Amino acid sequence: MLFNFTIGLRTSLIVTLASVIALVVNMQEPWWAAMSAMTVANADWTNVWRKGMQRVIGTIAGGFCGYWIAIAVKNFELFQWTTLGIMAALAIYKRMASPNYAYAWLMGIVTAMLAIYFAMVEIDSLFFLMVDRTLTVAIGVATATVVSYSFLENSSIGVGLGPFIIPNIDTMDKSWVVALCLSGAVVAVLAPIVYAGHDLSAMIQIIITSLVVLYGPVVSVKQFAITRSVGCFAGALMGFVLIGLGLQSFFWWVLLVALGLFFLGAVQAGKSYWTYAGQQGGYAYVIAALASSGPVDNFNQVLDRQVGVILGAIIAVCVLVVIRIWQGADFPDIEHMNRKKIQRAKTKRT
C-alpha cells in the first residue's frame, strides 16, 4: 500500500499546526518545529512519546554540551575540526551500537556539532541560536504529542518505516563499521569547505544528510541515499511550486502547505519502499515553505538548502567508496550484478 490517507491527514494536521505556532511566537527558524513534528508524528502513542522525548532530551543535552565545547575551542581551528570529526564518528557508531537510544544520541551529537559550526561564523549570537533551536524543537514535539494523545491515545495502528534496517553491530563487518565512522568524520570536516560562502543552514544539511545516510549494512546505505535524495527532490519541487504561486494570503498559504503535507504524510505512512522518501520529502517541503517564516518568493534561499541535502548524500557515498577502496574491500553489489549477468547468459544459451 503506497498511501495511508488517514495517517497522512493526521500528520498534515500536526506539522501544519506546529508550523503556525512557531510562526506565531516568532521563532527564528520555524522549520525546525515542522521537521521535529513530522519526525515524531507516529500513529502509536508510545512511539510518539519515546521518539519525542529522545529528540527533546538529546537536543537539550547536545545544545548544552555543544555550547561550552564551542566556546572552549573557538580560537583553535585544529581543535574545531578534530572535535567535529570525532563527534560525527561517535554519532554514527552510537546510533548503531545503542539502538534503544539511537535517536537521542543522533540528535544530541548533531546539535552539539551545530553549536561548533555556528561558533565559526556567528559566535556572538551562539547562545541565542541554541536556545531558539531547542525551543523550536520542543514546539514541534509538544504539538505532535498533544495531537496524537488527543486523537489516538488508544490506537495501536502501525506506521510503515520504509527501508529502515536496525543493524546489529556485533554481526557487522568491523571494517565496514570503521568505514562508516571515518566517512562521517571526513564529511564533517569537508562540509564547511564545500559550502564556504553559502548559507549556513545549507551547509548544515550536508552534515545531517551524511549522518542519516551512513548507517547500517551496505544495502541500508544504498536505500537511505536513494530514498532520501528522491524524497528531497520531490519535496523541493513541491516547495518551488508553492513559492512560484507567490501567495501573500496567509490562509491560502497554510491551506496549500497542509495539502502538500497530507500527500507526503500519506506516502510516509504507507507500506512501500518509498515511505522514507515521503518523510524526507516532507522535510524538504517545510524547509522550502518556511524559509522566510511565512509566504515566500525567494527561490535562491530555498535552492541553496535543497542542494545541501543532495550534496550530503552524494559526498557521503563518494567518501565511503574511497575509504572502502583504501581498505581493499570488495563491492558486493558489483559482484552480485556480475553473477546475475553470467546467470542470464547461461540461461539464454540453454
Side-chain angles (χ1 to χ4, degrees), residues 217-256:
V218 178
V219 65
S220 179
V221 172
K222 181 181 70 173
Q223 290 175 331
F224 272 124
I226 292 174
T227 54
R228 184 174 175 89
S229 298
V230 170
C232 288
F233 177 79
L237 185 61
M238 293 171 61
F240 287 141
V241 171
L242 177 65
I243 296 170
L245 294 175
L247 298 173
Q248 295 304 310
S249 168
F250 190 75
F251 171 79
W252 290 110
W253 175 81
V254 169
L255 180 61
L256 289 183

